[in-house]
Amino acid sequence: MSADAPAPVRGSGSGAPDATAELRKRIDTTKAHPARVYDVFLGGKDNYPADRDAAAMALVANPRGYLTVRHNRDFMRRAVTLAAKGGTRQFLDVGTGLPTQQNVHQIAQAVAPDSRVVYVDNDPVVLVHAQALLTSGPEGRTDYIEADLRDPAKILEVARRTLDFDRPIALVLAAVLHFIEDDEAYPIVKQLVDALPSGSHLVLSNVSSDLNPEQVGQVTKAFKERGFAMVRRSHAQVERFVTDNGLDMLDPGVVPVHRWRPEQVIDLPEANDPDAEFVAGLDKLDRTRYRDINDVTDADVSVYGVMARKP
C-alpha cells in the first residue's frame, strides 16, 4: 500500500478512457497482489499467474484455507445485510478488492435500492474494474476513491462528496487491516470511527494469530515470500478496535467468521450441484470454486469477524 496514491478516481461512470489507460499502465502483473489472490479463491478471472502461484502456495500450506476467504466474504454479506435491514443507507467500504459476487452495493441495494456506497482501494487493477462493474441501481449511488487506508483524512474528505456524515454509515474494513502494523492500524480506525455519527456501524475482519496458528503461520510465510506481509491479531487485539473506540459490540462478538450469525448458503454459483467428473479434471486450485462452504470446521477458518455500533 502507498499513502501517496494519485488523485481519487471518482463517480459512477466517471472513468474517462485516458484515465483508465493510465491506470492500466500502473498494473504490475509480475508480482502477486492481495486483492488478486483473494480474487483467485473467490473464483474470479481478474488475476495473473503470479497471483495464482501465491494462491497455490497458500493452498499447499493449508489445503482448506480457501474456506477462510469465502467465509470472510460471506461474513461481510451477512453484516451488510443486517445493517441495511436495520435502516443504514450509507456504506464506506475500504479495501474493496476486486468486484466479485455480492458486492456491498448489490447487497445493500437489494434491501434498500436508495443505498449509497463508496468504495476505496489503492490498487489500479481494482479501480479499472470498479469503473466498469460497481454500478449503482437507478435509485442509489456508488462512488469509488483511489486512496490508501493509511490516509484516512483523504478517504473522509472525498467520501463526504457522496455520503452524509450526519446520518449513520456502515464502515466496512473486511480483511484489510492485517496489512497494516498496530502502530498505524489502531489510530487509523479511531480517526475513521470518530468521523461517523451515532448509529453507525463498524464491520471488521482480520487474520488471527490464535486460530489454527500453525496453518496460518505457513500461509502468511508463503505470502511474505511473495511480497506482502500480514499482521495476525489475537482475539483480544481484534476486540481492541471495538473497545478502544467506545463501540457497542453486536452478538456474538469477536468470533471466527463462519460462526458470526451463520446461514446455510451457496456462495459461488458453480458450487451448486457441480459435475463431479468435470471437477476431478481440474487442478487443485480451481477445484476449490466447486466446494460447498457449509462443509466447514473450526480448524478450517483463521479470520476473526466482528460488528459493532456507535452509540
Side-chain angles (χ1 to χ4, degrees):
M1 288 188 171
S2 170
D4 56 352
V9 176
R10 303 188 59 254
S12 304
S14 66
D18 56 342
T20 301
E22 285 302 313
L23 284 171
R24 290 187 181 278
K25 288 178 183 177
R26 291 170 41 215
I27 297 172
D28 185 352
T29 63
T30 65
K31 297 179 181 178
H33 189 284
R36 300 194 302 258
V37 174
Y38 198 80
D39 182 67
V40 173
F41 284 119
L42 291 175
K45 296 179 172 60
D46 301 314
N47 51 75
Y48 300 95
D51 306 305
R52 286 183 59 84
D53 178 58
M57 288 297 295
L59 204 63
V60 170
N62 183 6
R64 288 171 62 84
Y66 64 91
L67 288 164
T68 288
V69 174
R70 288 168 58 187
H71 274 284
N72 177 75
R73 188 76 183 183
D74 200 58
F75 155 73
M76 184 273 290
R77 177 190 64 81
R78 298 192 302 275
V80 168
T81 300
L82 182 65
K85 287 184 175 180
T88 299
R89 298 294 178 264
Q90 303 187 106
F91 298 82
L92 179 58
D93 181 7
V94 185
T96 302
L98 284 156
T100 182
Q101 307 283 342
Q102 294 285 286
N103 299 290
V104 170
H105 75 282
Q106 294 166 319
I107 300 164
Q109 291 179 0
V111 177
D114 60 338
S115 296
R116 293 187 166 208
V117 179
V118 173
Y119 293 104
V120 183
D121 209 290
N122 72 332
D123 182 14
V125 74
V126 170
L127 294 163
V128 166
H129 291 282
Q131 290 174 355
L133 299 176
L134 299 181
T135 304
S136 174
E139 297 177 52
R141 182 172 176 185
T142 61
D143 213 341
Y144 33 89
I145 303 169
E146 182 179 18
D148 194 295
L149 180 54
R150 292 186 179 91
D151 193 355
K154 175 189 281 188
I155 292 170
L156 293 170
E157 177 187 358
V158 183
R160 290 181 189 278
R161 302 176 192 175
T162 302
L163 305 180
D164 178 357
F165 277 71
D166 291 326
R167 297 170 52 225
I169 297 169
L171 170 64
V172 180
L173 298 171
V176 64
L177 284 167
H178 47 230
F179 298 113
I180 298 181
E181 297 290 342
D182 286 351
D183 60 346
E184 290 185 283
Y186 291 107
I188 285 169
V189 174
K190 178 173 176 52
Q191 187 171 346
L192 291 171
V193 169
D194 282 353
L196 303 178
S198 175
S200 295
H201 288 90
L202 171 66
V203 176
L204 183 152
S205 62
N206 199 107
V207 169
S208 164
S209 62
D210 49 15
L211 295 172
N212 311 309
E214 183 175 346
Q215 290 177 328
V216 179
Q218 292 173 348
V219 171
T220 53
K221 180 183 178 183
F223 285 160
K224 187 174 182 179
E225 289 172 351
R226 279 153 181 79
F228 51 94
M230 302 177 77
V231 181
R232 294 177 286 166
R233 293 188 170 96
S234 68
H235 184 282
Q237 288 172 314
V238 173
E239 194 173 72
R240 267 193 62 192
F241 288 113
V242 175
T243 57
D244 282 6
N245 292 295
L247 304 179
D248 297 331
M249 197 136 37
L250 274 61
D251 289 336
V254 176
V255 294
V257 285
H258 70 300
R259 291 193 169 275
W260 197 90
R261 306 192 182 202
E263 301 172 357
Q264 289 287 115
V265 63
I266 300 296
D267 66 320
L268 298 181
E270 53 264 50
N272 187 17
D273 194 25
D275 181 278
E277 185 176 351
F278 169 74
V279 173
L282 300 174
D283 66 27
K284 290 182 180 179
L285 189 57
D286 286 332
R287 282 180 214 162
T288 64
R289 296 164 48 192
Y290 297 86
R291 305 302 187 203
D292 180 3
I293 66 167
N294 297 295
D295 174 25
V296 62
T297 71
D298 289 348
D300 297 323
V301 174
S302 54
V303 167
Y304 281 124
V306 65
M307 183 174 181
R309 183 180 184 276
K310 186 170 183 177

